[in-house]
Amino acid sequence: MSAPTIDAPHSAALDAAESGAVQLITVTLRIRRFNPEEHPDPVWVDYQLLMDPKERVLDALNKVKWEQDGTLTYRRSCAHGICGSDAMRINGRNRLACKTLIKDVNPEQPITIEAIKGLAVLKDLVVDMDPFFQAYKDVMPFLITNGNEPTRERLQSAEDRERFDDTTKCILCAACTSSCPVFWNDGQYFGPAAIVNAHRFIFDSRDEGAEQRLEILNDREGVWRCRTTFNCSEACPRGIEVTKAIQEVKRALVTRRF
Amino acid sequence: MSTDINDVELVSSSQAHTGRGLGTGNPADQFVIQPPRTRTTKTPRRTRTNFEMLAWLFMRLSGVVLVVLILGHLIIMLTLDGGVSRINFAFVAGRWASPFWQGWDLLMLWLAMLHGANGMRTVINDYAEKDSTRLWLKTLMGVATVFTVLLGTLVIFTFDPNI
């Protein structure tokens, strides 16, 4: 997945960004701030920064927090697209702030940043992830086997490993689940991320709990609520074909039941 | 500054989700807007039926059949042999004299009504936030569907051209 680059007329600074030279440009971050202890309603606040467009949106957020307003609250840990802490809605699309370069989100306009949708916003860009992880726990994302434990590793052929390779990439950032319109309307839907992680074990040749997981996902709030709007595939910062994984779980359910 | 453990309010990560903020007793929690129906440890599990799967399959299969039935119906009614201008009581009576057209219309009625009702059911499931609203909307829709299907079926089978 790649964020769309802008085709609009480039400024000199943007051209410099392409060639590798450092040229600072003025960037406006329009952040949706929310602090329930101060005001019951969220407000959009603009911050002006002098940034190198080759830097990431997370760098801009850090710059705001460290130099302008220390009360700005957001999650970030590794800052290299692995921990999945800083998923947020940048210019109306779910992305990881640490994987999005400023030059890719049209810095000539104010860059809007808000919390991911469908989860309760606790403060600024921090949401309550409990329902998200509850859905993850509910699909039993761990190896289930019967019989005696082998004395050696559980071996697997390269083809068997390839079968679920795509869904092992998930970092649980919630970008997919919080881009899903079904999840926005009904938080009890498992959501794409939980289904992706179920897929990772359902199609693992070493795992024997596929039937249990399929039974869970055959539920009222399971895979059948998916409308294949592809928002999740588009949002995934790891490029997982999320909708395809969900459809594969549906197919497995249909073929195993008939 | 004292770092006595008693001074710190511990919030465990496995704390039951209350559906109102983090449940820390902070008065500001009331301003935190919860999304409709969040998943908690108390979310009911496993209905253990294949209803949702069968409904999903029905939508796909009936959809394919309906494309043929409805396009055929529209072509016959609107374009062939002068189109709408020739439709009158005698035309309908003539068509329903044949069991083939009776079957066609019956199938189209049942599939279209069930297909539409199932689609509405998913819309209601999505948008109704309260369980009671959902129940009432679905009841209303179910009654309307059953009434329409039964009335249509009755008409197709008891139609009398000499009325």
Side-chain angles (χ1 to χ4, degrees):
Chain A
M1 192 210 81
S2 63
T5 46
I6 39 164
D7 299 312
H10 280 211
S11 69
L14 281 175
D15 290 339
E18 302 292 345
S19 68
V22 173
Q23 189 168 356
L24 300 183
I25 60 166
T26 307
V27 177
T28 307
L29 292 192
R30 184 163 289 168
I31 305 176
R32 192 164 187 261
R33 308 271 327 249
F34 174 61
N35 184 353
E37 292 182 344
E38 276 175 6
H39 199 274
D41 297 319
V43 279
W44 289 93
V45 182
D46 282 8
Y47 298 93
Q48 298 253 325
L49 303 160
L50 211 55
M51 295 291 295
D52 180 349
K54 292 194 297 298
E55 288 193 277
R56 305 159 302 170
V57 174
L58 182 63
D59 296 316
L61 284 171
N62 283 337
K63 208 167 168 153
V64 171
K65 185 171 176 74
W66 295 338
E67 294 171 14
Q68 295 190 19
D69 187 348
T71 64
L72 179 67
T73 309
Y74 50 93
R75 290 192 178 108
R76 87 267 184 269
S77 297
C78 77
H80 289 83
I82 292 298
C83 72
S85 301
D86 62 350
M88 51 189 75
R89 214 168 142 83
I90 301 168
N91 279 0
R93 267 185 62 181
N94 284 0
R95 310 168 205 245
L96 292 183
C98 58
K99 278 187 90 173
T100 309
L101 300 186
I102 290 173
K103 71 183 176 70
D104 293 333
V105 286
N106 193 9
E108 280 158 20
Q109 304 260 321
I111 299 167
T112 62
I113 299 177
E114 56 195 302
I116 47 178
K117 289 180 37 160
L119 294 162
V121 181
L122 300 178
K123 189 181 176 188
D124 294 346
L125 305 177
V126 173
V127 296
D128 178 8
M129 297 281 276
D130 277 4
F132 173 77
F133 284 114
Q134 188 59 50
Y136 175 59
K137 287 174 196 160
D138 287 349
V139 298
M140 305 193 291
F142 40 80
L143 186 78
I144 298 174
T145 55
N146 300 314
N148 294 329
E149 228 169 89
T151 49
R152 306 178 56 219
E153 308 94 308
R154 296 171 199 274
L155 295 178
Q156 185 171 46
S157 71
E159 296 78 55
D160 283 348
R161 176 62 177 71
E162 187 59 31
R163 179 67 192 87
F164 61 93
D165 182 67
D166 200 33
T167 44
T168 59
K169 298 179 200 157
C170 179
I171 56 173
L172 291 171
C173 65
C176 56
T177 295
S178 61
S179 73
C180 174
V182 179
F183 183 78
W184 293 339
N185 285 319
D186 182 358
Q188 289 193 352
Y189 171 47
F190 275 96
I195 299 171
V196 158
N197 284 282
H199 177 283
R200 183 248 171 276
F201 285 99
I202 288 169
F203 293 96
D204 188 336
S205 62
R206 298 165 296 186
D207 184 86
E208 290 161 41
E211 194 51 46
Q212 288 177 59
R213 294 196 185 85
L214 286 173
E215 186 65 45
I216 292 169
L217 291 177
N218 196 24
D219 189 27
R220 200 156 55 92
E221 307 292 348
V223 285
W224 306 114
R225 300 215 70 177
C226 168
R227 310 284 153 70
T228 59
T229 54
F230 283 89
N231 278 18
C232 47
S233 299
E234 219 166 275
C236 181
R238 305 282 293 165
I240 302 172
E241 293 175 285
V242 184
T243 315
K244 187 179 166 201
I246 299 174
Q247 295 300 93
E248 283 176 355
V249 173
K250 283 183 192 168
R251 185 183 298 160
L253 268 167
V254 171
T255 51
R256 282 178 198 224
R257 293 288 187 278
F258 290 106
Chain B
M1 187 197 268
S2 156
T3 50
D4 190 343
I5 188 76
N6 295 326
D7 293 348
V8 186
E9 191 186 0
L10 293 172
V11 180
S12 91
S13 59
S14 60
Q15 181 189 36
H17 186 77
T18 58
R20 279 188 306 280
L22 281 179
T24 52
N26 188 328
D29 276 356
Q30 62 173 301
F31 299 120
V32 171
I33 300 165
Q34 287 291 339
R37 289 185 283 159
T38 48
R39 177 168 282 271
T40 69
T41 45
K42 291 185 186 108
T43 298
R45 309 275 166 84
R46 301 195 217 177
T47 39
R48 287 208 172 274
T49 65
N50 285 330
F51 179 74
E52 290 295 332
M53 181 180 76
L54 295 173
W56 186 87
L57 275 175
F58 171 77
M59 289 305 264
R60 269 76 202 158
L61 299 176
S62 65
V64 172
V65 179
L66 277 170
V67 167
V68 178
L69 289 178
I70 291 176
L71 280 182
H73 180 81
L74 287 177
I75 290 167
I76 293 163
M77 292 297 165
L78 302 182
T79 56
L80 295 185
D81 274 347
V84 261
S85 54
R86 78 201 143 123
I87 297 179
N88 52 27
F89 187 83
F91 178 78
V92 176
R95 263 167 64 87
W96 277 354
S98 148
F100 175 78
W101 293 115
Q102 273 190 332
W104 180 297
D105 282 1
L106 190 72
L107 195 63
M108 194 164 64
L109 170 77
W110 276 73
L111 288 183
M113 281 308 291
L114 293 181
H115 187 97
N118 193 34
M120 277 304 291
R121 185 183 68 91
T122 58
V123 173
I124 293 170
N125 277 341
D126 270 2
Y127 287 101
E129 290 186 15
K130 284 193 294 185
D131 282 341
S132 54
T133 319
R134 200 169 319 124
L135 181 72
W136 277 110
L137 286 175
K138 280 196 210 172
T139 310
L140 202 65
M141 187 195 66
V143 169
T145 308
V146 169
F147 176 76
T148 315
V149 167
L150 289 186
L151 184 67
T153 310
L154 185 77
V155 170
I156 290 175
F157 281 123
T158 60
F159 179 73
D160 180 7
N162 308 315
I163 198 167

